[in-house]
Amino acid sequence: MSAPLLPTDTDGTDGTDGTNGTDGTVPAGGRDGADNASRSEPAVRRPARDRYFDLLRAVALFRVVLYHLMGWAWLPVVFPSMGVMFALAGNLMARSLKRPAVQVVRGRMRRLLPPLWLLGAISVTGMLAQGWSPDDDGYPGWWFLHLTFWVLPLSDPPYAEGVAGIQGVLGEDWASELAGPLWYIRAYLWFVLLSPLLLKLLRVRPWPVIVAPLVLSAVLEAGWLSLHSERIDSALTDFSTFGACWLLGMAHQQGVLKRLPQYIVPSLAPLVAAFALWYAFHQGFKSGYDLDSIPFAQAVWSFATVLLLLHISPSWAEWPSALRRWDRLITLLNSRAVTVYLWHNVCILTAATLYDRLWGFETLELNVPWLLESSWPVLALTWILISGCVLAFGWMEDIAAKRRPRLWPDGSSNRAGTPRRGRSHARA
């Protein structure tokens, strides 16, 4: 289930909530028809980006790619990317809900769906070209109905199983690899749709609401709630696993965490995390399972980790000197998080397929078999292919956000003084 990320609701260059530098406020006189009398008052300054959150998002995205290639079960323990990403998204959603809820939900959907539609147009065409048809499922009517989940992913989009690849270029069953991470798109969409209600509940009873998904996860883990629909079961499991993280992000934005005594989180979070690991080890974690296979352990561990990270939250308006060298890379990953997430699995499969061709060179096989068996060159090749996807498909994120399309939005042009365009259309 571990997969990134995703929609960052940022343009990767400025702003805090993906509204191109605003959270509902604008500089005085910035709207047509503004009262001229307000010019005598101090201008409302746009809040700076929280670079700490940008760093967390970039690390989470890199960890997802690394995990999907290496498969190291300890990686989600060291850094639970999905919990972190849901928390960051929840924080941004709560900030944006200062505006009318319908407007905010529509804007978030607009940012999320076009990159998925581009992926679907390419992948579904490829699956159909390889013989995928309604007969594969046995129910043509349901097949066509399920295809609509590629348009509005309220449930997991369907895909062809066992399709052939391209010899020496793309491995077999590429459709399964491509569709595997799409659960996050579905989960994110449901969180967005539920956020106006969740925020209202959070303001009334913050901590019972935050803990409620963990209780639901425990109930599902114990088998006390049985669901006969696989689609409903998967949606409910994802909500119970990561709902507390989403709500923690909203609570952080609402100032709920700041009202706690400073010693509470550092004292309580390690105990909660220890309980999560204890439970995971008693459920087979030590024998090859990972946290994704144990939803309740994943939920509790992610909750504890996110709680600590939000408590630490230094709220950097500017990068610390040690991190300034990574500014362009982190900006790029934040700007193209959806593209990287959607295409990274196919890039991993393609990189592994291409690298396997080196076994056909006898000299390499005899002299450096350790190099051919290593996954690190595959990781480097994967990021080269991901970069190609950023160039080929990333512009759709700009279209979705109503920005001027850019090939490589690492922020360098803005720092060089290039004027930004389309600010009046960038709000989500």
Side-chain angles (χ1 to χ4, degrees), residues 54 82 157 167 197 202 213 282 350 398 410:
D54 285 349
M82 299 318 302
Q167 182 65 32
L197 174 61
L202 186 70
H282 280 75
T350 303
D398 293 325
D410 61 358

Side-chain angles (χ1 to χ4, degrees), residues 84-106:
V84 170
M85 291 301 298
F86 279 119
L88 297 180
N91 180 276
L92 294 174
M93 191 67 187
R95 181 190 298 272
S96 297
L97 282 172
K98 296 174 183 178
R99 308 194 306 272
V102 173
Q103 176 187 348
V104 174
V105 170
R106 184 175 65 245

Side-chain angles (χ1 to χ4, degrees), residues 134-154:
D135 295 335
D136 290 347
D137 292 335
Y139 301 97
W142 286 112
W143 186 82
F144 284 107
L145 178 62
H146 290 166
L147 278 181
T148 61
F149 291 135
W150 281 102
V151 179
L152 187 63
L154 295 174

Side-chain angles (χ1 to χ4, degrees), residues 255-266:
V256 173
L257 303 186
K258 292 180 180 179
R259 292 196 289 269
L260 292 174
Q262 286 296 309
Y263 65 88
I264 291 293
V265 172

Side-chain angles (χ1 to χ4, degrees), residues 97 101 192-203 209 250:
L97 282 172
V192 166
L193 293 173
L194 292 172
S195 281
L197 174 61
L198 293 176
L199 185 59
K200 289 181 179 180
L201 296 175
L202 186 70
R203 288 168 174 168
V209 172
M250 300 183 86

Side-chain angles (χ1 to χ4, degrees), residues 334-364:
N334 276 267
S335 301
R336 291 293 181 257
V338 180
T339 301
V340 173
Y341 169 75
L342 288 176
W343 292 94
H344 79 276
N345 255 19
V346 173
C347 291
I348 290 174
L349 181 61
T350 303
T353 305
L354 291 172
Y355 195 70
D356 281 346
R357 298 183 65 177
L358 295 181
W359 286 99
F361 294 89
E362 186 176 354
T363 301
L364 295 176

Side-chain angles (χ1 to χ4, degrees), residues 235-387:
L236 200 58
T237 298
D238 294 339
F239 176 83
S240 65
T241 303
F242 299 108
C245 294
W246 184 280
L247 289 163
L248 276 177
M250 300 183 86
H252 177 75
Q253 198 282 328
Q254 294 291 297
V256 173
L257 303 186
K258 292 180 180 179
R259 292 196 289 269
L260 292 174
Q262 286 296 309
Y263 65 88
I264 291 293
V265 172
S267 301
L268 183 61
L271 297 178
V272 176
F275 169 75
L277 287 182
W278 172 84
Y279 183 83
F281 277 106
H282 280 75
Q283 296 296 318
F285 180 75
K286 197 172 183 178
S287 56
Y289 289 51
D290 57 24
L291 286 180
D292 294 335
S293 306
I294 314 170
F296 179 62
Q298 173 77 286
V300 177
W301 177 261
S302 297
F303 171 82
T305 306
V306 166
L307 190 60
L308 272 176
L309 290 173
L310 292 179
H311 174 77
I312 294 171
S313 185
S315 297
W316 297 325
E318 299 290 340
W319 289 115
S321 57
L323 294 174
R324 287 173 188 165
R325 70 185 69 179
W326 303 102
D327 180 25
R328 293 177 62 179
L329 176 60
I330 294 173
T331 296
L332 179 65
L333 288 175
N334 276 267
S335 301
R336 291 293 181 257
V338 180
T339 301
V340 173
Y341 169 75
L342 288 176
W343 292 94
H344 79 276
N345 255 19
V346 173
C347 291
I348 290 174
L349 181 61
T350 303
T353 305
L354 291 172
Y355 195 70
D356 281 346
R357 298 183 65 177
L358 295 181
W359 286 99
F361 294 89
E362 186 176 354
T363 301
L364 295 176
E365 183 179 1
L366 293 176
N367 294 287
V368 287
W370 56 269
L371 181 62
L372 300 182
E373 293 171 354
S374 174
S375 296
W376 293 107
V378 179
L379 179 65
L381 182 55
T382 295
W383 278 105
I384 292 174
L385 295 175
I386 289 175
S387 299

